[in-house]
Amino acid sequence: MDTPSRDQPFGSLSVAMVTPFASDGTVDPERAAALAVHLVDSGCDGLVVTGTTGETSTLTDEENVTMFRAVVEAVGGRARIVAGTGSNDTAHSISLSKRAQQAGADGLLLVTPYYNKPSQAGLQAHFTAIADATELPIMLYDIPGRSGVPIATETILRLAEHPRILALKDAKADYTATTRVLSATDLAVYSGDDGLTLPLMAAGAVGVVSVTAQIAPRRFRELVDAAFAGDFSTARQAHFDLDPLIRAVMTHLQGAVAAKQILHWQGLLPEPGVRLPLVTPTAQELEPVLADLAEAARSLDLDFDLKDLKQEVLP
């Protein structure tokens, strides 16, 4: 694999991987490795390990490191392996980031500190301290809907001057603010909202960090490649084809819950279990997911029989 460039430091189609659990609730590194191989074989050139979708908030540090090592060993050198090491405790994030580097990760995903609601000066100090403490390139993760605090545009502009802060995963849904980041910095911007991949790439984003792409990686690959090539007719059709699948994964349930359930139906996860406080969905909760999947199946191969599945799942 080529040396990463600042223009595209973490690939173009990166999947926010789920963390597979065995039937007893323990992390299943063998299944994680198998899923990573499947995703890379299907066109993904980046994998985010133990991010939000990887349920990092309920993993121990040892479990995080186990996941980093499993994925690095499985596909290291074939895709950029980005470790989710962000938290609302700067010292803890530094410690886990150092362990991610030792485990062979290619980069770090640092989410905005959540719950304690720091000031913008606090955010800048937090991200800078982590960047100063490791040698790995960093992707900032701006998702105020989860963290409670946005990374202000001016703060992003200042952080972009740090030699190891190379990218932004943008999940703020503020197109104007993202446009300013794209025009005023050389940060590699990645869509952090699956449904906004096409419009953000039209403005200059280099790709997506996607939850839904682990369900349909090849179609997402087609969207990203077409957008890069300036073939927006093809990219637009892929965007339309993926829309009901994105709704199925991201609209009705928490993303990890929905993604694990569909991966289970695809035969890629033996167990769809999640950790408390997340719970597996009821048949009633799955009904709108199945309705969206039926719409998606008109243009996507989802690798399972929806008719049989509905008879099995719905009362």
Side-chain angles (χ1 to χ4, degrees):
M1 186 171 58
D2 294 336
T3 301
S5 69
R6 191 173 181 101
D7 290 338
Q8 200 181 86
F10 304 114
S12 57
L13 176 57
S14 186
V15 163
M17 281 183 59
V18 300
T19 295
F21 298 131
S23 57
D24 63 359
T26 58
V27 168
D28 187 340
E30 290 79 16
R31 182 54 55 181
L35 179 59
V37 170
H38 163 75
L39 292 170
V40 174
D41 286 348
S42 300
C44 301
D45 54 4
L47 298 175
V48 171
V49 184
T50 71
T52 304
T53 304
E55 298 177 73
T56 187
S57 57
T58 54
L59 299 181
T60 66
D61 283 0
E62 291 303 322
E63 288 173 326
N64 276 284
V65 174
T66 294
M67 283 289 294
F68 302 157
R69 288 177 176 154
V71 176
V72 167
E73 289 174 6
V75 295
R78 297 182 61 204
R80 307 294 176 201
I81 312 304
V82 181
T85 59
S87 75
N88 63 346
D89 178 346
T90 306
H92 182 203
S93 290
I94 289 173
S95 174
L96 188 56
S97 296
K98 289 180 176 179
R99 296 188 68 181
Q101 181 173 326
Q102 293 168 355
D106 297 306
L108 306 174
L109 177 73
L110 300 181
V111 71
T112 314
Y114 40 82
Y115 185 70
N116 40 21
K117 301 184 80 168
S119 66
Q120 292 300 310
L123 293 182
Q124 184 172 346
H126 169 84
F127 290 126
T128 300
I130 301 168
D132 287 344
T134 76
E135 298 175 2
L136 293 179
I138 286 169
M139 179 188 296
L140 305 175
Y141 184 12
D142 189 11
I143 182 166
R146 285 186 182 274
S147 67
V149 177
I151 310 176
T153 302
E154 294 296 338
T155 305
I156 295 172
L157 299 186
R158 288 191 293 271
L159 288 167
E161 298 174 2
H162 195 288
R164 279 187 291 280
I165 296 177
L166 304 188
L168 170 69
K169 179 183 177 185
D170 182 87
K172 188 153 50 182
D174 185 339
Y175 198 77
T176 300
T178 307
T179 297
R180 187 171 174 213
V181 172
L182 285 162
S183 66
T185 77
D186 59 359
L187 287 177
V189 174
Y190 291 80
S191 174
D193 185 326
D194 291 352
L196 293 180
T197 303
L198 177 58
L200 284 172
M201 289 193 70
V206 302
V208 60
V209 178
S210 171
V211 178
T212 311
Q214 62 200 308
I215 311 300
R218 289 183 175 88
R219 196 65 174 126
F220 264 95
R221 180 80 265 166
E222 292 168 3
L223 189 162
V224 169
D225 287 349
F228 267 132
D231 181 1
F232 287 102
S233 177
T234 299
R236 186 165 50 248
Q237 187 58 56
H239 171 78
F240 292 153
D241 290 346
L242 287 164
D243 177 64
L245 180 61
I246 293 169
R247 284 189 269 117
V249 175
M250 305 303 295
T251 302
H252 310 291
L253 302 168
Q254 197 267 4
V257 175
K260 282 188 165 182
Q261 188 64 59
I262 299 172
L263 287 167
H264 174 63
W265 290 336
Q266 289 180 308
L268 295 169
L269 281 187
E271 301 286 341
V274 289
R275 280 191 178 169
L276 288 171
L278 301 180
V279 295
T280 54
T282 65
Q284 183 177 12
E285 289 171 327
L286 288 173
E287 190 167 0
V289 174
L290 288 167
D292 284 338
L293 290 177
E295 183 180 344
R298 297 171 193 167
S299 54
L300 301 174
D301 180 5
L302 298 177
D303 301 321
F304 49 79
D305 189 313
L306 272 166
K307 182 178 179 181
D308 290 346
L309 188 60
K310 285 182 179 180
Q311 291 176 347
E312 174 187 337
V313 172
L314 299 181

